[in-house]
Amino acid sequence: MRASGILMHISSLPSPHGIGTFGQAAFEFVDFLERAGQRCWQVLPLGPTSFGDSPYQSFSTFAGNPYFIDLDLLEAEGLLEKNEYQGIDWGTDPRRTDYEKLYNNRFAVLHKAFCRGIARDADEIAAFRKKHAAWVEDYALFMAVKTSLNGCSWDCWPAEIRLREPEALAEYRSRMADDILFWIYLQYQFYNQWFAVKRYANRHGVQIIGDVPIYVAMDSADVWANPRLFQLDEELRPTHVAGVPPDYFAPQGQLWGNPLYDWDAHRQEGYAWWIERVRAATTFFDTVRIDHFRAFSGYYAIPFGDEDATGGHWEKGPRLELFDTLKDALGECSIIAEDLGDLDADVYRLLEQSGFPGMKVLQFAFDSNWDNAYLPHNHKKNCVVYTGTHDNDTLMHWWATALSPHDRRHAADYICLNEREGLNWGLLRAVWSSVADLAIAPIQDFLALGGEARMNTPSVGTGNWQFRLEGGRLTPALAEKIERMSGLYQRSAL
């Protein structure tokens, strides 16, 4: 079935309180998608973000970001007073998230809700805690200890808790019981609010596409609680870390720094951790996009401590064995494979064996090479085509700055761009008319926004993940225009 959707992260939703949340704007966006004939809403990872504010570097692969808990909903539940959060300076620019102000102010407000709700919601919290015991206890202890140590990364904690000595774990859990309960309560609220949004979306014919990074952050409850599953030494320091090798765009390669999986250890445990990770993701989302799919075929290992990625080497990944195991445990899961980048025959073979749709990106199409796999006439049905991803520039700024004059003329001729239609709408038409089963574009491209609205610039450490949509931009006229284009190419849900 042909379909289409819009990519907009939760953090980008309009909000008077510094960042997008699961409040009224989320439900209104679902209404907009329904009016626009869209079947899919794609979001980025929902985990609690760490230093750098990237959703791809999270304190937990199972937990949710407390910033997304809506304060107005808490007030409606009697857990907050309006004057406890409406007078706070959450940032002065409605188009940008000020993460420093969120970090400094949000948790004190959430703690007020916790103090009012912990006794009232005791039974529900106990049930939540029991249901999610496999991860929430370690996560809450992790956050309690981290907070008590001024945010210090766990690999710098005192040895007894860093190494998870049983007596130390028991002592910290006893001493920090109230703090642990606070972090559990935030997850309880996060899960309640998120699944209310998801149920509403599903009832209105909108499926949620979520994102799962292949790697987890070193400074995460996942690594701290499961060190045996990662390539760590006896002191729990990484032996090798993730990245990608040098290429034309990055002569030193890219050094990501995430700890690598010990795939032999995962295999010996029947991939149990991965089963639970994907089970959680397919509960959160209707479809799961797996980032950096190529690393399941072969991954790039860089010696820990190297200053760049030039000294890395390739190692074999788990390949089809992992996905066969997941299928046996979970049944058929709706998965999109992020297969972008420099791929080899083994990756293409794994993608074909898995049956997962890969990705095509229009911004990668125009290099004057007619064999370019991203050109729409080279697409196939079993793929998802994008104007650009969260790592790409906006269409308008890409067109103005990234293409050579020759490639710009080539693209204009290929798509038959014209002023009457508008540049962004012509480029969107090229994506929507593709034979690909699913077409998606970021909300920035429908609104013809410039480079100031870019979500992320890879390898640039500051200024990312801040884009927010101003209220009032999602008009009925825009919804009608999107629905008309989607209907023309048989992608409309209406």
Side-chain angles (χ1 to χ4, degrees):
M1 178 184 295
R2 289 171 64 78
S4 57
I6 297 178
L7 168 60
M8 183 161 73
H9 193 35
I10 302 299
S11 64
S12 297
L13 290 166
S15 166
H17 306 129
I19 193 170
T21 68
F22 300 143
Q24 181 179 353
F27 294 90
E28 291 176 348
F29 186 62
V30 171
D31 294 338
F32 174 83
L33 291 169
E34 184 180 24
R35 289 195 302 271
Q38 302 308 290
R39 291 194 179 98
C40 300
W41 175 7
Q42 182 166 345
V43 299
L44 304 184
L46 299 182
T49 51
S50 59
F51 180 78
D53 311 306
S54 169
Y56 294 88
Q57 294 287 336
S58 174
F59 290 136
S60 169
T61 193
F62 296 95
N65 192 337
Y67 291 159
F68 297 159
I69 298 171
D70 186 71
L71 304 182
D72 287 329
L73 289 178
L74 295 182
E75 188 270 335
E77 289 186 43
L79 298 173
L80 288 175
E81 300 290 339
K82 287 186 181 295
N83 61 9
E84 291 176 328
Y85 63 94
Q86 288 191 341
I88 294 174
D89 179 11
W90 299 114
T92 57
D93 188 347
R95 298 167 299 176
R96 312 292 291 177
T97 296
D98 189 328
Y99 286 100
E100 181 179 4
K101 289 181 179 177
L102 286 175
Y103 179 78
N104 289 332
N105 297 324
R106 200 68 157 212
F107 293 106
V109 173
L110 292 172
H111 198 272
K112 294 182 192 309
F114 161 72
C115 290
R116 292 192 178 104
I118 191 61
R120 186 195 71 179
D121 302 331
D123 291 343
E124 291 84 355
I125 297 165
F128 176 86
R129 194 169 185 171
K130 181 178 181 180
K131 180 178 180 180
H132 299 283
W135 64 268
V136 77
E137 299 294 340
D138 280 319
Y139 165 74
L141 176 58
F142 174 88
M143 293 304 299
V145 176
K146 170 180 281 292
T147 302
S148 74
L149 296 174
N150 297 316
C152 181
S153 177
W154 73 265
D155 55 346
C156 297
W157 291 356
E160 71 276 5
I161 190 65
R162 174 170 60 85
L163 299 174
R164 294 177 60 85
E165 296 175 1
E167 291 184 0
L169 288 173
E171 193 274 329
Y172 275 80
R173 285 189 174 118
S174 175
R175 175 158 53 90
M176 295 187 159
D178 289 343
D179 295 328
I180 290 169
L181 193 54
F182 169 66
W183 291 104
I184 291 174
Y185 186 73
L186 294 189
Q187 291 307 302
Y188 163 76
Q189 285 290 351
F190 175 96
Y191 269 61
N192 284 346
Q193 290 194 7
W194 166 246
F195 281 105
V197 172
K198 184 178 184 296
R199 287 192 298 270
Y200 185 82
N202 291 166
R203 285 199 305 269
H204 287 260
V206 175
Q207 301 286 293
I208 305 291
I209 301 175
D211 204 326
V212 173
I214 181 173
Y215 295 121
V216 299
M218 177 63 188
D219 188 21
S220 68
D222 307 297
V223 181
W224 175 66
N226 305 281
R228 68 195 182 282
L229 300 178
F230 298 88
Q231 295 183 26
L232 309 178
D233 62 20
E234 292 182 356
E235 291 298 311
L236 305 186
R237 315 294 185 193
T239 59
H240 292 80
V241 295
V244 291
D247 58 20
Y248 175 80
F249 299 100
Q252 305 302 313
Q254 295 183 40
L255 178 61
W256 298 340
N258 305 74
L260 295 169
Y261 298 109
D262 183 334
W263 285 116
D264 286 338
H266 282 273
R267 185 176 295 110
Q268 291 169 11
E269 296 188 7
Y271 297 104
W273 185 86
W274 270 97
I275 290 171
E276 292 311 309
R277 188 185 193 195
V278 175
R279 189 196 310 277
T282 54
T283 301
F284 258 65
F285 312 115
D286 299 297
T287 296
V288 176
R289 172 191 178 272
I290 299 182
D291 193 50
H292 199 54
F293 181 83
R294 72 102 55 242
F296 292 108
S297 172
Y299 62 90
Y300 197 63
I302 305 165
F304 179 67
D306 281 13
E307 295 183 356
D308 57 44
T310 55
H313 64 278
W314 288 101
E315 293 281 355
K316 183 178 177 181
R319 304 193 175 181
L320 193 62
E321 180 183 62
L322 171 61
F323 298 108
D324 284 343
T325 303
L326 291 172
K327 184 177 180 180
D328 289 343
L330 304 175
E332 293 286 351
C333 297
S334 180
I335 290 175
I336 297 169
E338 187 272 284
D339 59 340
L340 307 176
D342 186 15
L343 310 181
D344 58 24
D346 286 339
V347 183
Y348 289 118
R349 187 179 305 112
L350 177 60
L351 185 63
E352 182 178 359
Q353 290 172 333
S354 72
F356 302 148
M359 292 174 52
K360 305 298 179 187
V361 178
L362 187 69
Q363 288 189 28
F364 298 157
F366 300 107
D367 58 3
S368 301
N369 177 5
W370 289 107
D371 292 330
N372 187 315
Y374 299 110
L375 280 168
H377 74 266
N378 290 325
H379 294 176
K380 56 184 180 179
K381 284 176 60 63
N382 189 35
C383 72
V384 184
V385 58
Y386 294 79
T387 53
T389 73
H390 60 274
D391 283 334
N392 288 100
D393 207 341
T394 64
L395 274 181
M396 300 301 286
H397 197 245
W398 163 78
W399 182 266
T401 63
L403 291 174
S404 69
H406 178 272
D407 288 343
R408 194 176 295 117
R409 286 193 300 271
H410 167 54
D413 290 343
Y414 181 90
I415 299 173
C416 298
L417 297 176
N418 61 84
E419 291 184 6
R420 180 174 177 273
E421 181 181 27
L423 172 62
N424 66 312
W425 287 102
L427 294 166
L428 285 161
R429 170 172 50 80
V431 167
W432 256 239
S433 63
S434 165
V435 71
D437 288 332
L438 180 59
I440 294 177
I443 191 63
Q444 294 95 314
D445 293 344
F446 290 100
L447 296 170
L449 299 180
E452 77 286 348
R454 182 170 185 166
M455 195 66 175
N456 178 51
T457 303
S459 302
V460 173
T462 59
N464 293 319
W465 316 110
Q466 295 179 2
F467 166 72
R468 294 175 62 204
L469 186 66
E470 293 181 272
R473 298 300 303 270
L474 303 179
T475 63
L478 178 62
E480 181 181 355
K481 192 168 186 177
I482 297 171
E483 195 280 328
R484 188 164 60 248
M485 180 178 69
S486 299
L488 180 64
Y489 296 110
Q490 296 184 306
R491 295 191 184 277
S492 177
L494 300 181

